[in-house]
Each structure stands twice: as structure tokens, then as C-alpha cells.
Amino acid sequence: MTTAMTTTSTLTEHEFALPSPTSKTAPADNFEIQDGTFPSTSQKLDKATLLKLVSAGFSFFVAGVNDGSIGALIPYVIRSYGITTAVVSSLYAASLAGWILAAVSNTHLSQRLDLGAMLALGAALQTLAQALRSWPTPPFGLYIATFCLTTVGQAFQDSHSNTYVASRKGSTAVHRWLGFIHAMYMAGCLVGPFAGNGIASSTTDERGESRWYLFYTVPLAQGVVNLVLVGVAFRDSMGFVKRTEEAGDVGEVRDGGEKKSARKLIRDALTERSVWLLSLFFFFYLGTVVTAGGWVVEYLVEARGGALAQMGYVPAGFSGGCLLGRILLPEPTHRFGERRMIMLYCVLCLAFQLVFWLVPNIIAASVAISFLGFFSGPFFATAISVGTRIFPADVSTTAISFVFVFAQMGGSLFPIITGVLGAHVGVAVLQPMLVGLITATGISWLLVPQPQSKTD
């Protein structure tokens, strides 16, 4: 989910950090009071803050619908354009290009545009991309380009929405709010396959070919609602970041009297060892879930002989498992310790992946992939929570955005490798690929520095 930029939404999910140093938090949020302390967890949220949290959650839902539909639609795209799995993998390459573009531009933009303006820009780009996809069989080059556009929009909106939620560090319920918005992403990933496969398998043109592109009218409508909701909820921060004597010139922030430009923030973030280690974990983790969700339908159709109309719903089982995992597992993960619980989940994911591989039964495969989704569900929010506590405060925003980028690199690179290898040796290469990725995810988690305490 769907499923991360200088933080927002990913992430994803495409799914978070501390607020941008120059972004303003609306006074109505009541996140901080006059004496510099934060409100207690018993303090009720006002309507303005609640509306912003709903908007943040809905942005993740929209991203999830988009990302969750890819696996169900890929077989139809392959057959509609008459291309191979290697060629269709270019949509993941376009997504990677979008994340890189967002990583380069986000720090600079977020120091000039206020929070609401960044969120609105991200929502507008996603809506534009869905509009370009929804007309009859768009040219393949244009269709691929829209994945870059969608990714940039998601990066801006989801990362800053993530940031807004994670900035509630005065409350011990931050992990629950993060769990909520990332659960909304997986709820979107659950809806995506049902909507995508349902429309693609039931609508045909005069030649009897699937009109799969009609699915994109669904995320287009959601995109319009998303844009309106952002405009209403964050209307108090829709302008430019103002230049103030305290903050220094636009494009710079102060750190103990020292001005830091966007370039220096990026350089400082990339010199932190913890940034690279957490990025490695996300690189393999997102590579696992995107590869599994993106290629499971084609695998079950080609390697297991399943019917396309029925197999298109299997990614919904995977996404449904992730959704339940993000709802049910954050509390025990937080209570019993992030390091040991994520390692336990990795072992369980590997066990169910081996069932998926070694038991030649479509029903068993569908159940196993759902459990794999369930136990991998809390990975994202848990690792983001750890990241906000181990990164230096002055570069945390920029650091999380680059973690997001490296995550999306894995989420783009490994599906591409799977598609290219699948074109030469068959899509059954998916199975050893997933085993290796899950193993690498567990090993990389052991390398991530852990916070000294859960309340650090």
C-alpha cells in the first residue's frame, strides 16, 4: 500500500517523520502548549486536528488503492499491449524514477511551501496521473510515465502526512496513530485488487478485449475527494513558508545558531550510519512485499494453472493480511520489544513463504500468502517509529525521506529483476526470490541500531 520525502505516505507502502524544520503546525492542532510541553494522552483531539488525521489516513488509502491494483492488472496489461514481463517491469522503473525525483526536490520544496501546500501538490499530481490513465488503452509510453507522476505525488503527500502524525511525539499513542494511517494504506491495497480485477474481468469492448483502463476512474474520483479534503483540513497552511529573522532565509534552518541549507541537511543525513542501516532494512522489506503483491497473480496463472479471473483476487488476501497485521500487531510489538518481535515475524513470514513455494495447491498458496502479509504488516510503522528515535533531531526529516527513497528502490528493483528473469526462465523465479528477500530483511533488521528505550 500502498505502500514514503522529507517526510510527509510512504513509508508507503508505497506508508512517518518529524515535521519539516520550516513548516508551521497549525495552532488548532493543540500538539504543543505555551510552556513547551505536550498535552497528555487523555486530552481530547479537537475537530480541526481530527480532520487532519482523517485526511492523512485517506491519503494513504488512495495510495493503497493505486498500488494494490497493480498485481491484478499486470496480466491484463501484458495481454493488451502484447508485451513480455520484462517490458511491463518498466512501470516499476518509472516508479523508482519518481521516488528519486521526489527525494531530490522535496527538501527544497518543503522549505518554501507550507505543509498544506505540499500536501495539495502531492494530491494534485496523483489526480492528474489517474486522469491520464483512464481513457481507452492509453499509449504504453504515457501509461508508464504516469507511474512516475503518481509516485512523486505519493512521495510528497504521504511522507508529509506521515510526518504530521509522527510529530505527535508528546503522546504515547504515536505508534497507534502510525498504525492507523498505515492500516489505511493496506485497506486501500485490499480494495484495489477487488476493484481492478472486477472491472478488468467484467468489462469488454466490441472486440471482446478487457477494458481494464476503466478501473482508473475509481482512483480518479478518490483523487478528487483527496484533493478537496486536503484543501479543507489544511487550509490554514496553504501558502509559502515565510521568511523570519528567527528562521533565517528561506532554504535554511537554524541548529544551535548555525544555519543549515537544504544541501547541508541532505549531506548530514547521508553521513549518519543509522540512516543507511535502516534504509537497508526497508530496501529488502519493500522489495519483498511489492514483488509478492505484483507478481503473485501472474505466477499462479502461469506456474500453477489458475484461472486469471479468479487469481486476480489473491493479492486482496495478501493485502487483507497486511491490514489485519497493521491493526492487531502494533500493540504486542510495542509491548514486547521491536527487535525481538520483528525477528519473530520474519521467521514466521519465511515459514509461510516456504508453504507457498513447496505445497503445489492454489488454495494453500492463497492462505500462505495471506499469512505472509499478516506477519509483515507491522514492519513499516515499527521501523519508522524506530527511525524517528535513532536519527539526530536536526536531520530526522531529511533522513526519513531518504529511507523512503531506498525503500522504493527495493520496491522497484526486485520486481524488475523478477520480471526480467521471468521472461527468460519463467515466473516461477518468484519463489526463490521471495525466500532470499525475507531472509535478507531479517538479517538487515539485526543491524539496525535500537533506541535505548521505547520512550526515548
Side-chain angles (χ1 to χ4, degrees):
M1 115 153 291
T2 222
T3 185
M5 307 324 19
T6 334
T7 136
T8 70
S9 302
T10 265
L11 105 264
T12 119
E13 318 172 35
H14 241 132
E15 162 24 70
F16 173 39
L18 300 178
S20 176
T22 53
S23 295
K24 299 190 293 291
T25 302
D29 295 348
N30 288 335
F31 283 177
E32 188 170 359
I33 58 182
Q34 294 296 327
D35 62 359
T37 60
F38 289 85
S40 65
T41 58
S42 61
Q43 186 174 5
K44 292 183 179 180
L45 296 174
D46 57 69
K47 292 182 180 179
T49 301
L50 184 60
L51 183 60
K52 290 179 179 181
L53 292 171
V54 170
S55 176
F58 187 71
S59 71
F60 275 79
F61 179 79
V62 171
V65 171
N66 175 81
D67 296 351
S69 64
I70 294 175
L73 293 178
I74 276 181
Y76 294 98
V77 173
I78 290 175
R79 289 154 181 79
S80 177
Y81 289 107
I83 56 180
T84 66
T85 57
V87 175
V88 81
S89 296
S90 57
L91 64 88
Y92 293 107
S95 296
L96 174 59
W99 281 104
I100 294 174
L101 176 62
V104 172
S105 62
N106 187 72
T107 298
H108 298 276
L109 285 174
S110 64
Q111 292 185 346
R112 288 163 175 79
L113 299 178
D114 216 342
L115 174 61
M118 285 298 300
L119 295 174
L121 175 61
L125 290 175
Q126 293 176 74
T127 304
L128 174 61
Q130 304 299 353
L132 293 175
R133 293 174 177 175
S134 58
W135 54 298
T137 315
F140 184 68
L142 176 62
Y143 179 67
I144 294 300
T146 61
F147 282 86
C148 179
L149 193 61
T150 302
T151 299
V152 174
Q154 287 180 359
F156 289 161
Q157 189 180 15
D158 292 351
S159 63
H160 284 278
S161 294
N162 236 323
T163 297
Y164 177 77
V165 176
S167 67
R168 302 184 73 250
K169 62 181 180 179
S171 168
T172 57
V174 167
H175 65 286
R176 296 184 188 129
W177 283 112
L178 286 171
F180 161 71
I181 63 173
H182 290 289
M184 287 295 292
Y185 174 82
M186 293 317 307
C189 288
L190 178 61
V191 171
F194 282 106
N197 190 66
I199 293 174
S201 62
S202 61
T203 59
T204 56
D205 57 20
E206 61 278 2
R207 295 175 296 178
E209 296 180 356
S210 171
R211 294 194 292 178
W212 53 271
Y213 48 83
L214 291 179
F215 158 75
Y216 289 110
T217 58
V218 175
L220 173 59
Q222 292 175 332
V224 173
V225 174
N226 182 32
L227 185 57
V228 172
L229 187 56
V230 168
V232 173
F234 293 91
R235 61 187 179 277
D236 54 4
S237 57
M238 279 293 175
F240 292 92
V241 173
K242 294 181 180 179
R243 298 177 60 176
T244 65
E245 185 176 349
E246 291 79 10
D249 296 336
V250 172
E252 296 182 330
V253 297
R254 287 189 183 275
D255 177 31
E258 177 189 359
K259 292 183 178 180
K260 283 193 176 184
S261 65
R263 182 178 300 177
K264 189 173 190 306
L265 284 172
I266 294 172
R267 184 172 64 250
D268 289 350
L270 294 181
T271 58
E272 288 291 330
R273 179 172 174 269
S274 58
V275 172
W276 291 101
L277 293 177
L278 189 63
S279 295
L280 187 65
F281 168 77
F282 274 109
F283 180 75
F284 290 120
Y285 162 65
L286 212 63
T288 301
V289 296
V290 175
T291 301
W295 289 110
V296 63
V297 175
E298 188 70 9
Y299 171 80
L300 291 176
V301 170
E302 293 295 328
R304 296 283 173 88
L308 177 57
Q310 284 74 45
M311 295 304 99
Y313 294 111
V314 173
F318 177 76
S319 300
C322 283
L323 172 61
L324 289 176
R326 293 187 176 189
I327 293 174
L328 300 178
L329 295 181
E331 194 61 36
T333 303
H334 181 74
R335 184 178 300 272
F336 297 109
E338 291 118 337
R339 179 180 290 272
R340 70 167 62 93
M341 294 306 293
I342 294 298
M343 279 307 304
L344 174 61
Y345 299 152
C346 282
V347 172
L348 292 172
C349 286
L350 184 59
F352 283 107
Q353 166 55 29
L354 291 174
V355 172
F356 178 34
W357 184 3
L358 301 177
V359 178
N361 181 280
I362 290 179
I363 295 177
S366 302
V367 172
I369 201 74
S370 298
F371 275 105
L372 193 156
F374 176 74
F375 288 111
S376 65
F379 283 22
F380 200 101
T382 300
I384 289 303
S385 178
V386 169
T388 58
R389 287 179 279 145
I390 64 175
F391 298 152
D394 60 326
V395 299
S396 181
T397 299
T398 304
I400 294 273
S401 72
F402 277 97
V403 168
F404 235 5
V405 173
F406 286 109
Q408 294 300 327
M409 288 177 63
S412 302
L413 177 62
F414 291 111
I416 292 172
I417 294 174
T418 302
V420 172
L421 291 177
H424 292 85
V425 301
V427 76
V429 72
L430 172 68
Q431 299 292 9
M433 180 70 72
L434 289 180
V435 169
L437 286 173
I438 294 171
T439 303
T441 300
I443 294 173
S444 61
W445 178 249
L446 293 176
L447 301 177
V448 175
Q450 298 298 294
Q452 294 182 353
S453 69
K454 287 183 282 189
T455 58
D456 185 9

